[in-house]
């Protein structure tokens, strides 16, 4: 009798244990996976991949890639949703050891909102530990979970399009600050001649720069001796300086668009100027709006109306297949500066009545340099 009772007890214990394992459903596991995904917990997601997926895609092809792509594309407001399995679907999944979940991904990016549908397959696998072997459900992952366009391989590319800075006109529509054709002045370091320091000093004098500024540009990590390195931009009105620069060793030019102030020094105190954002500027600026390559208004109207004049960058996110075929995933056009895409117009009536002599004499050299240096 005691042996019979013991046998019944052990049988019940085995059945309870079996039921406990059966209670782990593919729906619960995928819900857990989706929760990790919504929170961008990529390492925890990786731990839930099938053994074959984990072997095919090592950590750097999963965790690192997710982090890099999501950071570069400024992914936010991530939301993954899926529909529950029906009772029949659940019964079939538990019997066959595989389940499928169509899901929808929604997110915001630097190129605007992105939405796509995809399908996840979960497979029941045995997991061995030091004490016992258990069964659980794992995600059969491929790169299509990131974006369907790269399911079979490929890369994600991000292209940023710069807006045109808003122009400033006076009440008679006379230009004070406009975007016009300029000459971008640059050098090829290995061609600066026998005395590079002397050549750099001459360039600095003619281009309205300091030798420290030029050295800072030439000492950047990406600069190579045989590369064209842009230094500054000069408007057509600086023809004399451009001609003299063209005679120096290593100096070359390229056509570009830049900020031009037709009234030059006469209105420099009013218009101000633009310059490239510095590391010190970035400490105080919104880094979602500015980066190290941006131009920013300094002083005068350029600074006062910076928010209206700057415009907003555009962006295009593209999937590039292994054979070079490109598919646009999301695109946002650049918004040019100004008011409703129109120039900033002033109502000042006595603009031309302000003589240069109202500026203290000790400030005139810096004003002249600002009017000459067209970043």
């Amino acid at each position: 009798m005691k042996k019979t009772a013991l046998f019944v007890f052990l049988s019940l214990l085995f059945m309870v244990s079996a039921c406990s394992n059966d209670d782990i459903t593919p729906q619960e596991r995928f819900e857990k996976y989706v929760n990790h995904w919504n929170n961008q917990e990529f390492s925890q997601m990786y731990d839930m991949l099938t053994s074959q997926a984990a072997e095919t895609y090592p950590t750097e092809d999963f965790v690192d890639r997710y982090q890099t792509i999501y950071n570069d594309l400024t992914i936010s407001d991530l939301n993954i949703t899926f529909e529950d399995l029906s009772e029949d679907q659940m019964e079939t999944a538990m019997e066959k050891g595989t389940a499928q979940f169509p899901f929808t991904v929604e997110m915001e990016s630097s190129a605007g909102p992105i939405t796509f549908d995809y399908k996840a397959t979960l497979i029941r696998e045995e997991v061995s530990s030091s004490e016992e072997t258990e069964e659980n459900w794992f995600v059969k992952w491929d790169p299509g979970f990131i974006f369907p366009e790269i399911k079979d391989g490929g890369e994600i590319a991000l292209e940023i399009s710069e807006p045109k800075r808003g122009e400033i006109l006076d009440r008679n529509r006379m230009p004070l600050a406009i975007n016009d054709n300029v000459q971008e002045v640059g050098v090829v370091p290995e061609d600066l001649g026998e005395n590079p320091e002397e050549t750099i000093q001459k360039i600095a004098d003619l281009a309205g720069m300091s030798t420290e500024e030029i050295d800072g540009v030439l000492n950047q990590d990406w600069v190579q001796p045989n590369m064209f390195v842009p230094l500054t931009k000069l408007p057509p009105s600086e023809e004399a300086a451009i001609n003299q620069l063209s005679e120096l060793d290593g100096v070359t030019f390229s056509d570009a668009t830049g900020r031009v102030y037709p009234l030059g020094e006469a209105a420099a105190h009013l218009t101000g100027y633009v310059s490239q954002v510095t590391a010190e500027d970035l400490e105080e600026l919104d880094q979602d709006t500015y980066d190290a390559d941006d131009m920013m208004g300094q002083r005068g109207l350029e600074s006062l109306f910076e928010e209206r004049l700057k415009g907003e960058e555009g962006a295009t996110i593209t999937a590039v297949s292994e054979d070079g075929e490109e598919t646009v995933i999301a695109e946002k056009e650049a918004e040019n500066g100004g008011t409703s895409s129109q120039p900033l117009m002033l109502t000042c009536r006595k603009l031309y009545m302000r003589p240069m002599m109202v500026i203290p004499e000790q400030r005139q050299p810096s004003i002249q340099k600002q009017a000459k240096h067209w970043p």
Side-chain angles (χ1 to χ4, degrees):
M1 182 67 179
K2 289 183 178 180
K3 289 184 178 181
T4 302
L6 179 61
F7 176 79
V8 171
F9 173 77
L10 292 175
S11 297
L12 289 172
L13 184 62
F14 176 79
M15 290 174 65
V16 169
S17 175
C19 289
S20 175
N21 282 338
D22 287 345
D23 285 342
I24 302 174
T25 67
Q27 186 160 296
E28 292 170 332
R29 284 286 283 178
F30 191 54
E31 184 174 357
K32 184 177 181 180
Y33 182 87
V34 166
N35 287 336
H36 286 317
W37 193 354
N38 280 325
N39 293 321
Q40 299 188 34
E41 297 168 345
F42 305 122
S43 294
Q44 290 89 326
M45 291 165 59
Y46 187 74
D47 292 338
M48 298 181 70
L49 301 192
T50 62
S51 56
Q52 182 179 358
E55 183 179 347
T56 304
Y57 304 101
T59 304
E60 60 269 20
D61 287 344
F62 185 94
V63 178
D64 296 350
R65 193 176 190 191
Y66 259 118
Q67 290 175 338
T68 299
I69 290 176
Y70 276 31
N71 288 338
D72 289 350
L73 304 186
T74 322
I75 299 301
S76 64
D77 298 332
L78 182 64
N79 185 38
I80 296 93
T81 56
F82 68 97
E83 293 185 5
D84 295 344
L85 295 179
S86 67
E87 290 185 8
D88 290 342
Q89 289 173 326
M90 180 68 74
E91 184 177 343
T92 301
M94 299 299 290
E95 179 183 343
K96 294 186 175 181
T98 181
Q100 288 192 332
F101 293 89
F103 63 88
T104 299
V105 178
E106 299 173 293
M107 63 181 77
E108 289 293 329
S109 74
S110 54
I114 298 174
T115 301
F116 66 84
D117 297 319
Y118 206 59
K119 184 177 292 186
T121 298
L122 270 68
I123 298 175
R124 187 166 55 205
E125 292 185 348
E126 290 186 347
V127 181
S128 300
S129 63
S130 57
E131 298 180 355
E132 58 184 357
T133 298
E134 296 181 348
E135 288 186 338
N136 213 330
W137 295 86
F138 296 89
V139 179
K140 184 181 179 182
W141 187 89
D142 61 64
F145 280 67
I146 301 177
F147 291 113
E149 290 83 357
I150 58 172
K151 176 183 183 299
D152 299 319
E155 300 293 335
I156 298 298
L158 173 65
E159 182 179 355
I160 300 298
S161 53
E162 296 295 334
K164 292 181 179 179
R165 189 171 180 84
E167 298 186 335
I168 304 175
L169 310 180
D170 73 3
R171 63 190 298 267
N172 296 314
R173 301 192 67 85
M174 295 294 292
L176 302 177
I178 60 175
N179 306 310
D180 202 356
N181 295 327
V182 297
Q183 287 292 303
E184 186 165 46
V185 183
V187 297
V188 178
E190 67 180 9
D191 295 335
L192 286 173
E194 297 180 358
N195 193 337
E197 292 79 10
E198 181 180 339
T199 302
I200 288 174
Q201 181 63 63
K202 291 180 180 179
I203 295 171
D205 293 340
L206 291 168
M209 303 179 69
S210 67
T211 56
E212 290 78 11
E213 285 179 287
I214 296 176
D215 288 336
V217 174
L218 296 180
N219 290 330
Q220 294 178 100
D221 293 338
W222 61 268
V223 173
Q224 299 295 323
N226 62 343
M227 293 176 59
F228 170 75
V229 183
L231 298 177
T232 189
K233 296 176 181 178
L234 295 178
S237 59
E238 293 291 328
E239 183 179 0
I242 292 172
N243 289 338
Q244 293 179 67
L245 284 165
S246 66
E247 297 176 359
L248 299 177
D249 290 336
V251 176
T252 57
F253 301 88
S254 65
D255 294 331
T257 300
R259 202 65 166 169
V260 173
Y261 303 92
L263 297 183
E265 298 175 17
H269 61 290
L270 176 67
T271 60
Y273 62 102
V274 295
S275 66
Q276 191 163 355
V277 171
T278 65
E280 292 76 17
D281 291 329
L282 286 174
E283 293 178 0
E284 301 180 3
L285 295 170
D286 181 357
Q287 295 194 19
D288 290 335
T289 305
Y290 290 89
D291 58 43
D293 295 325
D294 284 335
M295 307 298 289
M296 185 176 71
Q298 305 284 356
R299 300 186 184 181
L301 298 172
E302 293 280 25
S303 176
L304 181 63
F305 294 102
E306 168 65 15
E307 186 174 345
R308 291 170 61 183
L309 294 170
K310 174 180 169 52
E312 186 175 345
E313 287 182 338
T316 303
I317 298 172
T318 306
V320 184
S321 67
E322 293 183 344
D323 60 3
E325 183 178 351
E326 297 185 359
T327 304
V328 174
I329 295 174
E331 187 172 20
K332 182 180 73 174
E333 292 186 0
E335 296 182 11
N336 295 330
T339 305
S340 300
S341 301
Q342 296 298 317
L344 176 66
M345 294 187 65
L346 307 182
T347 58
C348 172
R349 297 189 177 190
K350 296 185 178 181
L351 172 63
Y352 304 112
M353 300 297 289
R354 299 187 181 187
M356 195 64 178
M357 67 181 65
V358 301
I359 303 173
E361 189 171 334
Q362 64 269 25
R363 287 182 56 198
Q364 288 189 18
S366 63
I367 292 292
Q368 290 169 357
K369 180 178 179 181
Q370 293 162 13
K372 187 176 182 180
H373 185 188
W374 313 90

